[in-house]
Coordinates of all heavy atoms in Angstrom, one line a residue:
T71 N 27.0 5.6 45.4 CA 27.4 6.9 45.0 C 26.9 8.0 45.8 O 26.3 7.7 47.0 CB 26.9 7.1 43.5 OG1 27.5 8.3 43.0 CG2 25.4 7.1 43.3
I72 N 27.0 9.3 45.5 CA 26.6 10.4 46.3 C 25.2 10.3 46.8 O 24.3 9.9 45.9 CB 26.8 11.7 45.4 CG1 28.3 11.9 45.2 CG2 26.2 12.9 46.0 CD1 28.5 13.1 44.1
K75 N 28.8 7.4 50.0 CA 30.1 6.7 49.9 C 30.8 6.6 51.2 O 31.5 5.7 51.4 CB 31.0 7.4 48.9 CG 30.6 7.1 47.5 CD 31.7 7.8 46.5 CE 31.5 7.6 45.1 NZ 32.6 8.1 44.2
N76 N 30.5 7.6 52.2 CA 31.1 7.6 53.5 C 30.2 6.7 54.4 O 30.6 6.0 55.1 CB 31.4 9.0 53.9 CG 32.1 9.9 53.0 OD1 31.5 10.8 52.5 ND2 33.4 9.6 52.8
N96 N 32.8 2.7 47.2 CA 31.9 2.7 46.1 C 31.5 1.5 45.5 O 30.7 1.4 44.5 CB 32.5 3.7 44.9 CG 33.7 2.9 44.1 OD1 34.2 1.9 44.5 ND2 33.9 3.5 43.0
T110 N 37.0 1.7 44.0 CA 37.7 1.3 42.6 C 37.9 2.7 41.9 O 38.4 2.6 40.8 CB 36.7 0.6 41.8 OG1 35.5 1.3 41.4 CG2 36.3 -0.8 42.4
D111 N 37.8 3.8 42.5 CA 38.1 5.1 41.9 C 39.6 5.3 41.7 O 40.1 5.8 40.7 CB 37.5 6.3 42.6 CG 36.0 6.5 42.3 OD1 35.4 6.0 41.4 OD2 35.5 7.0 43.3
G114 N 40.7 2.9 39.0 CA 40.0 3.4 37.7 C 40.9 4.6 37.2 O 41.1 4.6 36.0
F115 N 41.4 5.4 38.1 CA 42.1 6.5 37.6 C 43.5 6.1 37.1 O 44.0 6.4 36.0 CB 42.3 7.6 38.7 CG 43.5 8.6 38.3 CD1 43.2 9.6 37.6 CD2 44.8 8.3 38.8 CE1 44.3 10.5 37.2 CE2 45.8 9.2 38.5 CZ 45.6 10.2 37.5
S118 N 43.2 4.2 33.8 CA 42.9 5.2 32.7 C 44.3 6.0 32.4 O 44.6 6.1 31.3 CB 41.9 6.2 33.1 OG 42.0 7.4 32.5
F135 N 44.3 19.8 41.5 CA 43.3 20.9 41.9 C 42.1 20.2 42.6 O 41.5 19.3 42.0 CB 42.8 21.6 40.7 CG 43.9 22.5 40.1 CD1 44.6 22.2 39.0 CD2 44.2 23.7 40.7 CE1 45.5 23.0 38.4 CE2 45.1 24.7 40.2 CZ 45.8 24.2 39.1
G136 N 41.7 20.7 43.9 CA 40.7 20.1 44.5 C 41.0 19.1 45.6 O 42.1 18.6 45.6
A137 N 40.2 18.9 46.6 CA 40.5 18.1 47.7 C 39.3 17.4 48.3 O 39.2 17.2 49.4 CB 41.1 19.0 48.8
G138 N 38.4 17.0 47.3 CA 37.2 16.3 47.7 C 37.5 14.8 47.5 O 38.6 14.3 47.5
G139 N 36.4 14.0 47.2 CA 36.4 12.6 47.1 C 37.3 12.1 46.0 O 38.0 11.3 46.2
A140 N 37.1 12.8 44.8 CA 37.9 12.3 43.6 C 39.4 12.5 43.8 O 40.2 11.6 43.6 CB 37.4 13.0 42.3
A141 N 39.6 13.7 44.4 CA 41.2 14.1 44.7 C 41.7 13.0 45.6 O 42.9 12.5 45.5 CB 41.2 15.5 45.3
R142 N 41.1 12.7 46.7 CA 41.4 11.8 47.8 C 41.8 10.3 47.0 O 42.8 9.8 47.3 CB 40.4 11.6 49.0 CG 40.9 11.5 50.2 CD 39.8 11.6 51.2 NE 40.3 10.8 52.3 CZ 40.9 11.3 53.3 NH1 41.1 12.5 53.5 NH2 41.3 10.5 54.3
A143 N 40.8 10.0 46.3 CA 41.0 8.6 45.7 C 42.1 8.6 44.7 O 43.1 7.8 44.7 CB 39.7 8.3 44.9
I144 N 42.3 9.7 43.8 CA 43.5 9.8 42.8 C 44.7 10.0 43.6 O 45.6 9.3 43.3 CB 43.1 11.1 41.9 CG1 42.0 10.8 41.0 CG2 44.3 11.5 41.2 CD1 41.5 11.9 40.2
I158 N 48.6 19.6 46.4 CA 47.3 19.9 46.3 C 47.0 21.3 46.3 O 47.6 22.1 47.2 CB 46.6 19.1 47.5 CG1 46.7 17.5 47.3 CG2 45.1 19.5 47.5 CD1 46.2 16.7 48.2
I159 N 46.2 21.9 45.4 CA 45.7 23.2 45.4 C 44.3 23.3 45.6 O 43.5 22.6 44.7 CB 46.2 24.0 44.0 CG1 47.7 23.8 43.9 CG2 45.6 25.3 44.1 CD1 48.2 24.4 42.6
N160 N 43.8 24.0 46.7 CA 42.3 23.8 46.9 C 41.9 25.2 47.5 O 42.6 25.8 48.3 CB 42.0 22.7 48.0 CG 40.5 22.4 47.9 OD1 39.9 22.4 46.9 ND2 40.0 22.2 49.1
R161 N 40.6 25.4 47.2 CA 39.9 26.7 47.8 C 40.0 26.6 49.4 O 40.3 27.6 50.0 CB 38.5 26.6 47.3 CG 37.7 27.8 47.7 CD 36.2 27.6 47.0 NE 35.5 26.3 47.4 CZ 34.3 26.1 47.0 NH1 33.7 26.7 46.2 NH2 33.8 25.0 47.4
T162 N 39.5 25.5 49.9 CA 39.6 25.4 51.4 C 40.8 24.7 51.9 O 40.9 23.4 51.6 CB 38.3 24.6 51.9 OG1 37.1 25.3 51.3 CG2 38.1 24.8 53.4
V163 N 41.7 25.3 52.4 CA 43.1 24.8 52.5 C 42.9 23.6 53.6 O 43.7 22.7 53.4 CB 44.1 25.9 52.7 CG1 44.1 26.4 54.1 CG2 45.5 25.4 52.4
T164 N 42.1 23.8 54.5 CA 42.1 22.7 55.6 C 41.7 21.3 54.8 O 42.1 20.3 55.4 CB 41.0 23.0 56.6 OG1 39.8 23.4 56.1 CG2 41.6 24.0 57.6
N165 N 40.9 21.3 53.8 CA 40.5 20.1 53.2 C 41.7 19.5 52.5 O 41.9 18.2 52.5 CB 39.4 20.3 52.2 CG 37.9 20.7 52.8 OD1 38.0 20.4 54.1 ND2 37.1 21.2 52.2
G166 N 42.5 20.3 52.0 CA 43.7 19.9 51.4 C 44.7 19.2 52.4 O 45.3 18.2 52.2
I169 N 44.1 15.6 53.4 CA 44.5 14.6 52.4 C 46.2 14.5 52.6 O 46.7 13.5 52.8 CB 44.3 15.0 51.0 CG1 42.8 15.0 50.7 CG2 45.0 13.9 50.0 CD1 42.5 15.3 49.2
T186 N 44.1 28.2 46.8 CA 44.2 28.6 45.5 C 44.7 30.1 45.3 O 45.2 30.3 44.3 CB 42.7 28.5 44.9 OG1 41.8 28.9 45.9 CG2 42.3 27.4 44.4
N203 N 42.8 18.1 37.3 CA 41.7 18.8 37.9 C 40.6 17.9 38.5 O 40.1 17.0 37.7 CB 41.0 19.6 36.7 CG 39.7 20.3 37.3 OD1 39.7 20.8 38.4 ND2 38.6 20.4 36.5
T204 N 40.4 18.1 39.8 CA 39.3 17.3 40.3 C 38.2 18.1 40.9 O 37.4 17.7 41.7 CB 39.8 16.4 41.5 OG1 40.1 17.2 42.6 CG2 41.0 15.5 41.1
T205 N 38.2 19.4 40.5 CA 37.1 20.4 41.0 C 36.0 20.3 39.9 O 36.3 19.7 38.8 CB 37.6 21.8 41.0 OG1 37.7 22.3 39.8 CG2 38.9 22.0 41.9
P206 N 34.8 20.7 40.2 CA 33.8 20.8 39.2 C 33.9 21.8 38.2 O 33.1 22.0 37.3 CB 32.5 20.8 39.9 CG 32.8 21.2 41.3 CD 34.4 21.2 41.4
L207 N 35.1 22.7 38.3 CA 35.2 23.9 37.4 C 35.3 23.4 35.9 O 36.4 22.8 35.7 CB 36.3 24.7 37.9 CG 36.2 25.4 39.3 CD1 37.4 25.9 39.8 CD2 35.0 26.4 39.3
G208 N 34.4 23.8 35.2 CA 34.4 23.4 33.6 C 33.4 22.3 33.3 O 33.2 22.0 32.1
M209 N 32.7 21.8 34.4 CA 31.7 20.8 34.2 C 30.5 21.3 33.6 O 30.2 22.6 34.0 CB 31.4 20.1 35.5 CG 30.6 18.8 35.5 SD 30.7 17.9 36.9 CE 29.7 18.8 38.0
Y210 N 29.8 20.7 32.8 CA 28.5 21.2 32.3 C 27.6 21.6 33.4 O 27.5 20.7 34.4 CB 27.9 20.1 31.5 CG 26.6 20.5 30.8 CD1 26.6 21.1 29.5 CD2 25.4 20.1 31.4 CE1 25.4 21.5 29.0 CE2 24.3 20.5 30.8 CZ 24.2 21.1 29.6 OH 23.1 21.6 28.9
K212 N 28.6 24.8 33.6 CA 29.5 26.0 33.8 C 30.8 25.8 33.1 O 31.9 25.6 33.6 CB 29.8 26.2 35.2 CG 28.5 26.6 35.9 CD 28.9 26.9 37.4 CE 27.7 27.5 38.1 NZ 27.8 27.5 39.5
S215 N 34.2 27.8 33.1 CA 35.2 27.9 34.3 C 36.2 26.9 34.0 O 36.2 26.0 33.3 CB 34.3 27.8 35.5 OG 33.7 26.6 35.4
S216 N 37.3 27.2 34.9 CA 38.5 26.4 34.9 C 39.3 26.5 36.2 O 39.2 27.6 36.7 CB 39.3 26.8 33.7 OG 40.7 26.5 33.9
P217 N 39.9 25.4 36.6 CA 40.8 25.7 37.9 C 42.0 26.6 37.7 O 42.5 27.1 38.6 CB 41.3 24.2 38.2 CG 41.3 23.5 36.7 CD 40.2 24.1 36.1
Y231 N 45.1 16.0 33.1 CA 44.1 15.2 33.3 C 42.9 15.9 33.9 O 43.0 16.4 35.0 CB 44.6 13.9 34.1 CG 43.7 12.8 34.1 CD1 44.1 11.5 33.6 CD2 42.4 12.8 34.8 CE1 43.1 10.4 33.4 CE2 41.5 11.7 34.8 CZ 41.9 10.6 34.1 OH 41.0 9.4 34.1
D232 N 41.7 15.8 33.3 CA 40.6 16.3 34.0 C 39.6 15.2 34.3 O 39.3 14.4 33.4 CB 39.9 17.3 32.9 CG 39.0 18.3 33.6 OD1 38.5 17.9 34.8 OD2 38.9 19.5 33.2
A233 N 39.3 15.1 35.6 CA 38.3 14.1 36.1 C 36.9 14.3 35.5 O 36.1 13.5 35.5 CB 38.3 14.1 37.6
I234 N 36.7 15.4 35.0 CA 35.3 15.7 34.3 C 35.2 15.0 33.1 O 36.2 14.9 32.2 CB 35.2 17.3 34.1 CG1 35.1 18.0 35.4 CG2 33.9 17.6 33.2 CD1 35.2 19.6 35.3
Y235 N 34.0 14.4 32.7 CA 33.9 13.8 31.5 C 32.7 14.4 30.6 O 32.5 13.9 29.5 CB 33.6 12.2 31.7 CG 32.5 11.9 32.9 CD1 31.2 12.1 32.8 CD2 33.1 11.7 34.3 CE1 30.4 11.8 33.9 CE2 32.2 11.5 35.3 CZ 30.8 11.5 35.0 OH 30.0 11.3 36.0
N236 N 32.0 15.4 31.4 CA 30.9 16.0 30.6 C 31.0 17.5 30.8 O 30.7 17.9 31.9 CB 29.5 15.5 30.9 CG 28.5 16.0 30.2 OD1 28.7 16.5 29.1 ND2 27.2 16.1 30.6
N255 N 40.7 13.1 29.5 CA 39.4 13.5 30.2 C 39.0 12.4 31.2 O 39.6 11.3 31.2 CB 38.3 13.9 29.3 CG 37.7 12.8 28.5 OD1 37.7 11.6 28.9 ND2 37.1 13.2 27.4
G256 N 37.9 12.6 31.9 CA 37.5 11.6 33.0 C 36.8 10.3 32.5 O 36.4 9.6 33.4
L257 N 36.5 10.1 31.3 CA 35.7 9.1 30.8 C 36.3 7.7 31.1 O 35.8 6.8 31.5 CB 35.4 9.4 29.3 CG 34.6 8.0 28.7 CD1 33.2 8.1 29.2 CD2 34.5 8.2 27.1
G258 N 37.7 7.7 30.9 CA 38.4 6.6 31.2 C 38.4 6.1 32.6 O 38.2 5.0 32.9
M259 N 38.5 7.1 33.5 CA 38.4 6.9 35.0 C 37.1 6.2 35.3 O 36.8 5.3 36.1 CB 38.6 8.0 35.8 CG 38.5 7.9 37.3 SD 39.0 9.4 38.1 CE 38.5 9.1 39.9
L260 N 35.9 6.9 34.7 CA 34.6 6.5 34.9 C 34.4 4.9 34.4 O 33.9 4.1 35.1 CB 33.6 7.4 34.1 CG 32.2 7.2 34.2 CD1 31.7 7.5 35.7 CD2 31.5 8.0 33.3
I261 N 34.9 4.8 33.2 CA 34.7 3.3 32.7 C 35.5 2.3 33.5 O 35.2 1.3 34.0 CB 35.2 3.3 31.1 CG1 34.0 4.1 30.4 CG2 35.2 1.9 30.7 CD1 34.2 4.3 28.9
Y262 N 36.7 2.6 33.8 CA 37.6 1.7 34.5 C 37.2 1.3 35.9 O 37.4 0.3 36.4 CB 39.2 2.1 34.3 CG 39.7 1.9 33.0 CD1 40.1 2.9 32.3 CD2 40.0 0.5 32.6 CE1 40.7 2.7 31.0 CE2 40.6 0.4 31.2 CZ 40.9 1.4 30.5 OH 41.4 1.2 29.2
Q263 N 36.7 2.4 36.6 CA 36.2 2.1 38.0 C 35.0 1.3 37.9 O 34.8 0.3 38.8 CB 36.0 3.4 38.7 CG 34.8 4.3 38.2 CD 33.5 3.9 38.6 OE1 33.2 3.1 39.6 NE2 32.5 4.2 37.6
G264 N 34.2 1.2 36.9 CA 33.0 0.5 36.8 C 33.4 -1.0 36.4 O 33.0 -2.0 37.0
Ligands
LIG301 P1 33.7 16.9 46.0 O1 34.0 15.8 47.0 O2 32.5 17.8 46.2 O3 34.9 17.8 45.8 C1 34.9 19.0 45.0 C2 36.2 19.7 45.2 O4 36.2 20.9 44.2 C3 36.4 20.4 46.5 O5 37.8 20.3 47.0 C4 35.9 21.8 46.4 O6 36.7 22.7 47.2 C5 36.3 22.1 45.0 N1 35.4 23.1 44.3 C6 34.1 23.0 44.3 N2 33.5 24.0 43.6 C7 34.6 24.8 43.5 C8 34.6 26.1 43.1 N3 33.5 26.9 42.6 N4 35.8 26.9 43.0 C9 37.0 26.1 43.6 N5 37.0 24.9 44.0 C10 35.8 24.3 44.0 O7 33.4 16.3 44.5 P2 34.2 15.0 43.7 O8 33.3 13.9 44.1 O9 35.6 15.0 44.3 O10 34.0 15.3 42.3 C11 34.8 16.3 41.7 C12 34.7 16.4 40.2 O11 35.3 15.2 39.8 C13 33.3 16.4 39.6 O12 33.4 17.2 38.4 C14 33.0 14.9 39.3 O13 32.1 14.8 38.2 C15 34.4 14.4 39.0 N6 34.6 13.1 39.2 C16 34.9 12.2 38.1 C17 35.0 10.9 38.4 C18 35.4 9.9 37.2 O14 35.2 8.8 37.3 N7 35.8 10.6 36.1 C19 34.8 10.4 39.6 C20 34.6 11.1 40.7 C21 34.5 12.5 40.5 P3 36.3 23.0 48.8 O15 37.1 21.8 49.5 O16 36.8 24.4 49.1 O17 34.9 22.7 49.0

Side-chain angles (χ1 to χ4, degrees):
T71 188
I72 289 168
K75 284 187 184 188
N76 308 107
N96 75 341
T110 64
D111 283 337
F115 167 78
S118 154
F135 288 101
R142 223 177 147 88
I144 288 172
I158 292 171
I159 300 177
N160 195 44
R161 181 177 62 177
T162 311
V163 77
T164 49
N165 292 341
I169 300 185
T186 32
N203 176 37
T204 72
T205 74
L207 296 169
M209 190 164 79
Y210 184 82
K212 291 186 180 163
S215 57
S216 149
Y231 192 108
D232 201 328
I234 293 173
Y235 44 82
N236 186 21
N255 71 21
L257 181 63
M259 178 175 171
L260 184 69
I261 288 177
Y262 284 113
Q263 63 76 31

